[in-house]
Amino acid sequence: MKRFLGLLIGVSVLLGNNPANADEINCGSLHNGFGPYDFRYQFGEPKRLVESAHFPPYVESLLRGRTADAVGGDIDYTLRAFPNHHRALLSMMNLATRERTGKPPGSRFSVECWLDRAERFAPDDGMVKVLWATWLIKQGNKAEAEEKLAAGIKQAPEMNTNFDYSVGLAYFDLKRYDLALAAAHRAYRGGFPLPGLKQKLMKAGQWRDPPPLPAPTQTPDNVANESQEKTAPTPSAE
């Protein structure tokens, strides 16, 4: 009996000193038979194999499964191979919302666990934190959502319109319209094609056209080049 109690105390101390172990017990180890791979940096054969076999467009759109009866099973496989697969995380979140459950059919983990696993696997991935903030907003936990969103923005990738658009949607749902508008301007200036965020802001009476970009700074070299262009002879029509 004393030995048993000693083991319990040892386990408790170990978990208390290492929160990641507690997360692993609750949400599973990241070890996987295939991968795991970082979604941001994997563009070769592993990504092609997983997405073609388990995450084709109709799975991403939640229309039907490919290798599993429940579409959640294929998304589950994708997220075990690519824990921070942004689109697969979003699909799992959408599936949970549609099914009105935190743990969708076919998924071995809850949405919270998939997000926890993604953050453990890629703690520097700002998009994971933005997706987590989006999920927290849907659950009504706006205070924690703002913290996750702020943490994600600190890790923002350079020149990523999808990231800016997602940030804008999250801030819109938090009714932080000034920040949503700024993110929308960044996304659309970079060429993001979907008009949804702009339409939301317009409907809320919060849309403003972005200010014009500043004119390029005139340098002596620029002025000299312009002068040469103006004085260059016109090509002959012959």
Side-chain angles (χ1 to χ4, degrees), residues 160-231:
N160 189 306
T161 59
N162 188 53
F163 181 88
D164 290 328
Y165 188 83
S166 299
V167 167
L169 288 174
Y171 273 131
F172 181 87
D173 289 339
L174 289 168
K175 301 188 186 305
R176 300 289 301 275
Y177 297 125
D178 54 336
L179 297 175
L181 182 63
H185 286 167
R186 292 194 301 272
Y188 291 128
R189 186 172 283 143
F192 192 82
L194 300 181
L197 179 55
K198 180 178 180 179
Q199 291 172 349
K200 284 174 175 285
L201 287 163
M202 290 179 70
K203 189 174 181 179
Q206 299 295 325
W207 175 258
R208 302 290 183 273
D209 288 330
L213 291 173
T217 304
Q218 290 288 338
T219 65
D221 289 340
N222 289 340
V223 172
N225 290 336
E226 288 180 7
S227 177
Q228 290 175 7
E229 289 175 3
K230 291 178 181 177
T231 57

Side-chain angles (χ1 to χ4, degrees), residues 5 21 41 49-50 66 93 108 117 172 177 203 217:
L5 289 174
N21 287 349
Y41 308 121
L49 285 172
V50 170
R66 189 184 188 283
M93 290 160 55
R108 69 191 63 196
R117 289 166 60 85
F172 181 87
Y177 297 125
K203 189 174 181 179
T217 304

Side-chain angles (χ1 to χ4, degrees), residues 137-158:
I137 293 168
K138 290 180 183 294
Q139 308 313 303
N141 191 344
K142 294 186 176 182
E144 191 175 348
E146 291 227 33
E147 293 178 7
K148 282 288 183 188
L149 197 52
I153 290 169
K154 286 182 180 179
Q155 299 174 329
E158 284 189 38

Side-chain angles (χ1 to χ4, degrees), residues 80-127:
R80 282 185 287 118
F82 290 91
N84 63 328
H85 195 301
H86 303 152
R87 297 188 345 263
L89 285 168
L90 182 59
S91 289
M92 188 65 84
M93 290 160 55
N94 290 338
L95 180 61
T97 300
R98 187 182 77 181
E99 300 296 326
R100 298 183 180 181
T101 177
K103 185 175 177 291
S107 171
R108 69 191 63 196
F109 299 119
S110 67
V111 171
E112 289 277 353
C113 272
W114 289 119
L115 291 164
D116 166 78
R117 289 166 60 85
E119 190 171 74
R120 275 192 282 135
F121 178 74
D124 63 333
D125 190 339
M127 189 64 176

Side-chain angles (χ1 to χ4, degrees), residues 48-71:
R48 186 195 68 79
L49 285 172
V50 170
E51 290 190 344
S52 62
H54 296 280
F55 199 63
Y58 58 82
V59 169
E60 184 172 1
S61 301
L62 311 181
L63 297 178
R64 67 181 188 279
R66 189 184 188 283
T67 65
D69 292 335
V71 66

